[in-house]
Amino acid sequence: MAPLLEARNVSKVFSGGLFSRAQNIALDDFSFALEDAPPSITAVVGESGSGKTTLARLLLGLAAPTSGSVRYNGKDLRKHSRAEWRTFIREVQVIFQDPYEVYNPFYTVDHVLKEPIRKFALAGTKAQGRALMEEALTAVGLRPEETLGRHPHQLSGGQRQRIMVARALLLKPRVIIADEPVSMVDASLRATILNNLRQINRQFGISILYITHDLTTAYQLSENIIVLYRGGVAEVGSVERVVQHPQHPYTRLLVGSVPLPDPRRPWEAAPAPSALGREMTAASCRFADRCPSAMPVCIEVRPPLYQTNPDRAAACYLYDDAPAMATGDINQVFVGEAAD
Ligand code: SF4
């Protein structure tokens, strides 16, 4: 059976502008499949410029790939009929970083909930619409009587973001793409929103793609992780394996830079990059200019993903005694997924 949502050999290249020949490869030959069952939570982690936001936009159909395809229910989004597209935009919901942008300050927050009900004709009467809104708000732990009728500025950032989760839930989606959903929320409220996401994954069987720069919340929420670096996969696999025992030098750097709760343990200083990295070309390992372990082969040709454990692969020659994987096979190392 075809995966529910799939990126197949997707690349996205941005040109440098009208008078520039420079090109920015935001995503390079990326493949990933989100299966319908079991409902999963996968984190896509990377720093700014890693390609994670481009990936979110491609998966949502908000941008077209330069090559490759994004498929829903096995069909290229570009070939969807109007009816199939309508199904797609209902079943694949997004929660963005800044919920405030979605709200109109002149309307009460009811407006953002009523709009999908109207657009997708979810209720026959006002009372049915109200019941749906109350049900969705309750599912994310908000009290309808304390939420409906309020203006956005009368609610906290955390409450506004939970309303966006409720809004997505109204449509009974099969996938939620959460793009940095807690990065603008106070630390004290982050756990509540992450709990909401975990709960709706379990209770409603909705798969979640959690896109973030924050390794800590990725670890707290997800089962599997894809670490992106400059548009390519650096390391992928079970979140437990990758975060607890990182292999790729970039993942090690990320893990080492996470602030630790124990003040006696200093943050790990980043090791100095190898001088070889200065010879980096477009064909080299993407991390060569920052890597302390760069070798001549890293400069010559980009490494494939090596499957170093049943539940993990790393794109690094330090592990070239492990079997190489095709880029399209990253799902094989995810926990909770049926192997082919
Ligand atoms: Fe470093 Fe080479 Fe591994 Fe790239 S392939 S991360 S340059 S050791």
Side-chain angles (χ1 to χ4, degrees):
M1 209 169 114
L4 185 59
L5 182 62
E6 182 184 11
R8 194 180 287 183
N9 301 109
V10 166
S11 295
K12 181 69 181 176
V13 181
F14 294 103
S15 67
L18 200 55
F19 302 108
S20 169
R21 288 189 187 164
Q23 288 194 322
N24 170 26
I25 303 173
L27 205 61
D28 188 11
D29 194 21
F30 178 84
S31 293
F32 162 71
L34 204 60
E35 304 292 341
D36 196 15
S40 56
I41 306 183
T42 306
V44 179
V45 176
E47 59 195 17
S48 166
S50 62
K52 60 188 191 305
T53 297
T54 300
L55 174 64
R57 290 180 54 75
L58 290 166
L59 290 175
L60 287 162
L62 299 175
T66 309
S67 61
S69 59
V70 174
R71 294 161 178 261
Y72 190 64
N73 283 326
K75 190 167 180 183
D76 190 331
L77 285 186
R78 288 170 292 200
K79 295 182 180 153
H80 275 217
S81 66
R82 276 177 80 112
E84 286 167 332
W85 178 252
R86 200 171 156 79
T87 302
F88 171 77
I89 59 171
R90 178 173 171 172
E91 293 185 347
V92 181
Q93 286 296 302
V94 62
I95 298 166
F96 285 118
Q97 180 178 31
D98 183 3
Y100 208 73
E101 279 187 359
V102 181
Y103 293 99
N104 183 328
F106 298 107
Y107 288 109
T108 64
V109 296
D110 308 23
H111 189 71
V112 298
L113 297 170
K114 281 179 182 167
E115 203 214 24
I117 293 175
R118 182 194 56 76
K119 189 171 169 187
F120 290 95
L122 302 180
T125 64
K126 265 190 172 180
Q128 283 172 357
R130 172 92 188 184
L132 281 177
M133 292 194 290
E134 291 183 355
E135 192 187 334
L137 289 170
T138 306
V140 297
L142 290 171
R143 291 172 192 263
E145 65 279 12
E146 292 174 6
T147 312
L148 295 172
R150 301 279 180 102
H151 283 85
H153 68 270
Q154 294 175 299
L155 299 170
S156 71
Q159 286 171 315
R160 288 194 294 264
Q161 192 59 297
R162 284 156 84 188
I163 293 171
M164 297 319 295
V165 180
R167 183 184 195 257
L169 264 187
L170 273 174
L171 293 163
K172 304 207 176 343
R174 295 167 79 186
V175 179
I176 290 180
I177 296 180
D179 187 4
E180 302 272 15
V182 293
S183 62
M184 295 182 72
V185 172
D186 287 349
S188 59
L189 295 165
R190 268 181 215 154
T192 312
I193 294 169
L194 295 177
N195 275 336
N196 283 158
L197 291 174
R198 188 181 295 114
Q199 188 189 338
I200 63 176
N201 161 257
R202 291 184 184 158
Q203 190 177 342
F204 302 104
I206 299 169
S207 285
I208 294 171
L209 196 65
Y210 176 57
I211 292 176
T212 183
H213 68 280
D214 179 9
L215 202 60
T216 309
T217 55
Y219 182 66
Q220 289 166 347
L221 182 66
S222 59
E223 296 140 9
N224 294 300
I225 188 168
I226 302 168
V227 180
L228 280 184
Y229 185 74
R230 289 183 182 160
V233 176
E235 190 161 351
V236 59
S238 117
V239 77
E240 198 63 38
R241 171 84 68 185
V242 171
V243 174
Q244 290 293 347
H245 307 285
Q247 284 186 327
H248 193 284
Y250 174 60
T251 322
R252 281 195 228 146
L253 191 71
L254 275 185
V255 172
S257 64
V258 171
L260 298 166
D262 183 349
R264 291 164 302 182
R265 281 182 64 193
W267 292 356
E268 277 180 40
S274 155
L276 262 181
R278 290 190 214 120
E279 295 164 33
M280 183 178 177
T281 70
S284 305
C285 167
R286 295 181 181 89
F287 193 60
D289 58 341
R290 289 173 66 187
C291 184
S293 311
M295 304 168 274
V297 64
C298 314
I299 305 301
E300 282 160 29
V301 58
R302 188 165 291 160
L305 278 164
Y306 292 104
Q307 187 169 358
T308 55
N309 299 95
D311 58 352
R312 178 245 296 280
C316 176
Y317 286 121
L318 294 173
Y319 309 99
D320 63 358
D321 51 350
M325 285 172 64
T327 50
D329 287 347
I330 66 171
N331 281 68
Q332 280 187 12
V333 294
F334 285 162
V335 291
E337 303 240 347
D340 286 338

